Amino acid sequence: MKVRDIMTAEVVVAHPDTSVNLVARLMAGRDISGVPVVEDGRLVGIVTELDLIVRNTRLEPPAFFALLDARIPLETPAHYRERIRHMLGTLARDVMTEKVVSIGPDEELESLAEIMVKQRVNPLPVVEDGRLVGIVSRSDIIGMMARDLGEQG
């Protein structure tokens, strides 16, 4: 079985300038775990449940390593600014994950499951020739398993 056999082809998407509030309402209203961010038909990011939940955690100050009388930062100021932007941002572009893991529609389900388990991603955008053509989530795999088990029993 291929990814295209279980993916959702009509994907709810956001634009980078979509408000975080609208993205959250879309996810809650449609009972979906993530919204791909698309610009000119190209996948530029994804906002997942985790991206939104992180906004409600405490912002930890940058970690330092103390050496004699010196304090050596363990993260760059740019990384810290990025964390602040992610937590306080109001647009999809502020909170989205930019390095999106994706899969092709003709990949086997075993490859899909392996990516989801090893890289801990959910949902997983389906991309063909650089364009978003679908999305697949853990619930799609569970639904397929339930159908297969129902047919056997």
Side-chain angles (χ1 to χ4, degrees):
M1 192 173 255
K2 304 283 187 189
V3 170
R4 77 170 62 251
D5 298 325
I6 67 164
M7 73 181 193
T8 300
E10 293 182 21
V11 184
V12 175
V13 299
H15 185 271
D17 293 327
T18 302
S19 75
V20 171
N21 290 339
L22 179 56
V23 172
R25 285 196 311 268
L26 282 171
M27 288 171 64
R30 305 269 180 118
D31 195 27
I32 54 178
S33 55
V35 175
V37 181
V38 176
E39 191 168 33
D40 298 325
R42 301 243 178 240
L43 181 66
V44 296
I46 188 165
V47 178
T48 65
E49 293 168 325
L50 185 60
D51 291 318
L52 297 180
I53 291 169
V54 163
R55 295 170 55 82
N56 294 300
T57 61
R58 277 191 196 93
L59 180 63
E60 299 291 331
F64 289 91
F65 174 73
L67 180 63
L68 302 175
D69 287 336
R71 290 173 35 135
I72 302 167
L74 297 177
E75 73 178 331
T76 66
H79 184 258
Y80 186 65
R81 281 192 303 274
E82 178 66 21
R83 286 195 298 136
I84 291 173
R85 183 180 65 85
H86 190 89
M87 290 183 80
L88 302 177
T90 59
L91 302 175
R93 77 171 72 251
D94 299 327
V95 301
M96 71 184 188
T97 299
E98 293 181 39
K99 294 179 181 175
V100 183
V101 177
S102 64
I103 193 164
D106 295 318
E107 294 288 329
E108 298 290 334
L109 287 186
E110 290 82 11
S111 298
L112 169 68
E114 187 174 331
I115 290 170
M116 286 183 146
V117 169
K118 288 186 176 177
Q119 298 189 36
R120 297 194 181 276
V121 293
N122 185 58
L124 190 61
V126 182
V127 175
E128 187 170 41
D129 298 326
R131 298 220 175 262
L132 182 70
V133 295
I135 196 161
V136 64
S137 69
R138 292 179 190 135
S139 62
D140 294 321
I141 295 173
I142 301 302
M144 183 254 332
M145 290 171 63
R147 283 189 303 275
D148 287 354
L149 292 173
E151 292 171 3
Q152 292 175 6

